[in-house]
Amino acid sequence: MSANEVKNAELPLFQKEETKDEENSPSPCCLKFKAVSGIVLALGTGVLFATATTLVTTAEVHGIPAFQILFIAYISLLLFSLFMCLLKRENIFTIGGKNIAILFSMGFFRWLAITFQYYAFKFLPVGDATAVLRGIAPVLTALAALVFLNEPWSWAEIFITVVNIGGVVLVAGPVFIFGEEEGDRKSVV
């Protein structure tokens, strides 16, 4: 018997010898951990966004203007981000010309979106504003990906988009569809 045959004979049944490629690939256990970690992080993000939304509404109830809330929020974001970059020893000044334009555009649109969101909380119940925002954002993102990135849509995605928009309309409860009654909460539309 050769040395390789002896080595394979010592392995338990249904277990094959690992090659160098398999040694570098993650184990199924590691992949499951990553999937669960992603779900836990996404749930944590939802909880943190809900907490931030509640704090914004509380601040507005106490008379703090929306732009003051935004200013403090973004200064905090800048400081925490700077701290993390320093902690990870990342150089934040080595960004190329094309990339800097993309990043500043992203920052501007994110600032504008958060500003609109905070003002929406001022005029609407928080649940309605959040439902409309979280309901329509995936649809608009998918449409932007279709138009700008040429990502195809399947019939299932088209159907889900229609259902999603229908749900947003039901949450918004526009007066021209549902009518208006005395004592009703404010309609979103």
Side-chain angles (χ1 to χ4, degrees):
M1 248 196 217
S2 72
N4 197 20
E5 291 173 342
V6 170
K7 189 176 181 183
N8 285 336
E10 293 173 2
L11 293 174
L13 288 176
F14 304 111
Q15 182 179 351
K16 64 180 183 176
E17 182 181 350
E18 292 184 0
T19 63
K20 290 188 179 189
D21 290 340
E22 291 170 344
E23 288 174 4
N24 294 333
S25 66
S27 68
C29 179
C30 183
L31 291 176
K32 287 180 184 177
F33 176 76
K34 284 184 178 181
V36 170
S37 296
I39 292 170
V40 169
L41 289 171
L43 290 173
T45 300
V47 169
L48 293 171
F49 270 123
T51 303
T53 299
T54 304
L55 291 172
V56 167
T57 305
T58 304
E60 286 182 350
V61 166
H62 289 291
I64 301 173
F67 277 109
Q68 188 175 358
I69 296 169
L70 281 167
F71 179 75
I72 298 299
Y74 277 109
I75 290 294
S76 302
L77 181 63
L78 173 71
L79 293 175
F80 288 128
S81 298
L82 198 57
F83 172 74
M84 290 305 294
C85 284
L86 291 173
L87 186 69
K88 296 184 78 149
R89 300 185 193 310
E90 292 182 9
N91 188 351
I92 58 173
F93 299 109
T94 59
I95 302 170
K98 181 180 174 184
N99 293 335
I100 199 84
I102 291 170
L103 292 174
F104 272 109
S105 298
M106 181 197 67
F108 172 74
F109 287 119
R110 182 143 316 178
W111 170 81
L112 197 58
I114 295 293
T115 302
F116 287 174
Q117 178 183 4
Y118 286 7
Y119 273 106
F121 293 152
K122 192 173 190 173
F123 297 111
L124 299 171
V126 174
D128 289 352
T130 303
V132 170
L133 171 72
R134 300 284 185 241
I136 207 69
V139 172
L140 295 176
T141 302
L143 283 172
L146 176 70
V147 172
F148 297 113
L149 302 176
N150 296 322
E151 290 186 6
W153 271 19
S154 68
W155 285 106
E157 290 166 327
I158 293 170
F159 175 73
I160 294 300
T161 299
V162 171
V163 169
N164 191 339
I165 292 172
V168 169
V169 168
L170 289 175
V171 168
V175 175
F176 64 87
I177 293 177
F178 297 105
E180 187 174 2
E181 292 183 20
E182 292 287 326
D184 269 356
R185 64 182 176 90
K186 286 183 181 178
S187 169
V188 175
V189 180

